[in-house]
Each structure stands twice: as C-alpha cells, then as structure tokens.
C-alpha cells in the first residue's frame, strides 16, 4: 500500500536535496530555491509492484523521483501492454496528464520508490512568480516530447541490436547525471520489460544481451551491466542496413 508523507520543517526540501542539480530549475537564487518548499508539500512511498496511478485517474500533480525507479505503460482494449518509459531518481514524470487532467498511462514502482509530489495548481501559481520555474516546466515538456519521438524512431527505424545499444547508452548517460559510474550500473527492469519497451520479444532481447556479452561489448552479472566497449555500441548505431 502506498504511503503519503506530509513534509515539515525537519524534512529534506529542494534546497538541500542531493538531486537538486537534476530536477530543480537552473539560474535560481537562494531565496527562490527556498520558495520551492511551497511546491513540494508531500512525498509518496510506493512499494515495489504497486501502482502510483492508473489510466483515467484524475491527475492533479506531477512527480519527481527521490529514490527508486518508476515504469509507465499503456494498454489497448485487448489488454496488450506497451511500456512507454522508465524513470530514475531526479527525473520527472506524469507530464502527459497536464493538458487533460487525467492520467494517460499507468505508473508502477519497479522497486520500493519515493516520489515528491508537485500539484499542478501550485505549479501554475508559483511559475507565474518564478520565471525560471516556468522555463523548467517548458524544458521538461519539451524533453518528454523529444523522448517520445526518440522511442518512435527506435521502434520504426532501428534494427533490434541498434535499439538495445541505444537503450544501454541512454541508461549510461542517465546514471552519469545521477553521479554514478557510466560504465557499470544496475537495471531494475527485467529483460522482458526492456524488450517490451524496445518492441522486441523476450527471446530476441535475451539473445542480444548474450551476443553483446560474447562479443565483448558488455559484461552481465544478473541485472548489473558493465559497458566494456562504448565505441562499439556507438558504432552499431552508425551501421546501416545491408
């Protein structure tokens, strides 16, 4: 069961959060940063496997991950599920609901996760007073659109090995922004979930991971990935169809 936590003066706020360099607006003075405490008034803890929200639920907030990992996915009328994103600490999700007032996807915790809650009404009010916050919202929306376009490009134009190479390089960059190693990181999603996201079967995804390891591109230890040959992964993306 998810648990809501109301913040108080002793809670860690935006001004002293170690993830501030990722999710906070750039160019804000110390006084403006303190005002962001008005924006995040609660956090939610979601146990592994639990839903934060579901498609069609009323949406009155967006979320930034403090700890853990979130998966978003959609379903059609036949019950087929398509994963639309994986979100790491410091990253913001739920942006697809801002225009409609309803969630357009499910959000599920891939591990025990804690998120900061930013209510859209508070966002609208505070962003009028803090231009850097409005710029940040625009940047996040632009980034979400760009991410969706990249996923469509991957599904429609890249071969299976290119999709996986692109995914691993993207995860490496995102873990680097968190201050972790760009070479070695632990993936919280399963091979089946990675394959679903990339439009690949479980068998194809597993075969590609094994191939990459056999060719010396990566080393696999359960869900921990170590990139051994980054150049080779980049070169895969440059290779055209024969």
């Amino acid at each position: 069961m998810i648990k809501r936590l109301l913040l108080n003066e002793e809670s860690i706020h935006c001004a002293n959060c170690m993830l501030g360099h990722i999710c906070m607006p750039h160019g804000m003075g110390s006084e403006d940063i303190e005002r962001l405490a008005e924006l995040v008034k609660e956090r939610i803890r979601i146990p592994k496997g639990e839903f934060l929200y579901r498609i069609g639920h009323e949406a009155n907030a967006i979320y930034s991950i403090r700890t853990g990992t979130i998966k978003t996915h959609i379903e059609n009328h036949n019950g087929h599920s398509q994963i639309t994103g994986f979100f790491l600490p410091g990253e913001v999700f739920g942006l697809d609901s801002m225009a409609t007032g309803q969630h357009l996807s499910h959000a599920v915790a891939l591990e025990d996760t804690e998120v900061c809650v930013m209510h859209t009404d508070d966002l609208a009010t505070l962003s009028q007073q803090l231009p850097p916050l409005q710029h940040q919202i625009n940047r996040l929306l632009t980034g979400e659109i760009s991410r969706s376009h990249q996923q469509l490009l991957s599904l429609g134009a890249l071969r299976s090995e290119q999709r996986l190479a692109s995914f691993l390089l993207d995860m490496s960059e995102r873990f680097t922004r968190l201050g972790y190693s760009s070479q070695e990181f632990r993936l919280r999603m399963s091979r089946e979930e990675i394959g679903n996201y990339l439009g690949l079967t479980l068998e194809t995804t597993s075969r590609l991971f094994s191939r990459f390891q056999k060719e010396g591109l990566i080393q696999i230890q359960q869900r921990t990935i170590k990139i051994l040959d980054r150049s080779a992964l980049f070169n895969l993306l440059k290779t055209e169809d024969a």
Side-chain angles (χ1 to χ4, degrees), residues 47-180:
K48 178 180 178 180
E50 292 287 332
F51 284 78
L52 172 61
Y53 56 75
R54 296 176 183 267
I55 293 174
H57 282 187
E58 179 183 1
N60 58 11
I62 61 175
Y63 306 90
S64 176
I65 300 180
R66 187 160 181 262
T67 60
T69 311
I70 288 286
K71 170 186 74 174
T72 56
H73 65 103
I74 56 177
E75 292 179 354
N76 63 16
H77 62 280
N78 292 323
H80 174 74
S81 177
Q82 173 64 52
I83 295 173
T84 56
F86 300 111
F87 297 88
L88 306 177
E91 297 180 343
V92 177
F93 67 99
L95 295 162
D96 57 352
S97 67
M98 292 186 69
T100 64
Q102 287 188 329
H103 288 295
L104 304 180
S105 62
H106 301 299
V108 183
L110 291 179
E111 58 183 317
D112 290 348
T113 299
E114 184 173 303
V115 300
C116 298
V117 182
M118 295 170 280
H119 290 281
T120 49
D121 288 344
D122 295 336
L123 270 173
T125 300
L126 197 56
S127 63
Q128 292 177 355
Q129 304 167 18
L130 301 176
L133 179 58
Q134 182 61 59
H135 295 157
Q136 175 78 339
I137 294 172
N138 293 338
R139 185 180 69 84
L140 290 171
L141 289 170
T142 301
E144 182 69 8
I145 293 171
S146 176
R147 187 183 67 81
S148 297
H149 287 176
Q150 286 298 318
Q151 186 182 15
L152 287 174
L153 176 64
S154 174
L155 294 176
L158 299 184
R159 302 193 308 277
S160 57
E161 65 267 26
Q162 292 177 315
R163 297 180 200 179
L164 182 57
S166 178
F167 174 80
L168 292 174
L169 290 169
D170 176 65
M171 295 301 295
S172 171
E173 292 176 4
R174 291 162 67 184
F175 278 109
T176 299
R177 288 198 296 270
L178 288 172
Y180 297 120

Side-chain angles (χ1 to χ4, degrees), residues 24-30 32-33 131-133:
M24 282 177 50
H26 299 291
M28 294 188 73
S30 57
D32 289 342
I33 291 176
L133 179 58

Side-chain angles (χ1 to χ4, degrees), residues 3-70:
K3 181 178 181 181
R4 294 182 178 270
L5 306 171
L6 296 179
L7 303 189
N8 55 41
E9 294 181 356
E10 297 180 357
S11 303
I12 296 177
H13 291 280
C14 298
N16 50 10
C17 176
M18 67 179 183
L19 296 173
H21 68 289
I22 300 176
C23 59
M24 282 177 50
H26 299 291
M28 294 188 73
S30 57
E31 293 183 3
D32 289 342
I33 291 176
E34 290 292 341
R35 292 199 62 190
L36 287 179
E38 303 172 22
L39 188 58
V40 182
K41 300 173 183 176
E42 67 172 327
R43 296 194 181 102
I44 300 177
R45 289 178 180 169
I46 314 109
K48 178 180 178 180
E50 292 287 332
F51 284 78
L52 172 61
Y53 56 75
R54 296 176 183 267
I55 293 174
H57 282 187
E58 179 183 1
N60 58 11
I62 61 175
Y63 306 90
S64 176
I65 300 180
R66 187 160 181 262
T67 60
T69 311
I70 288 286

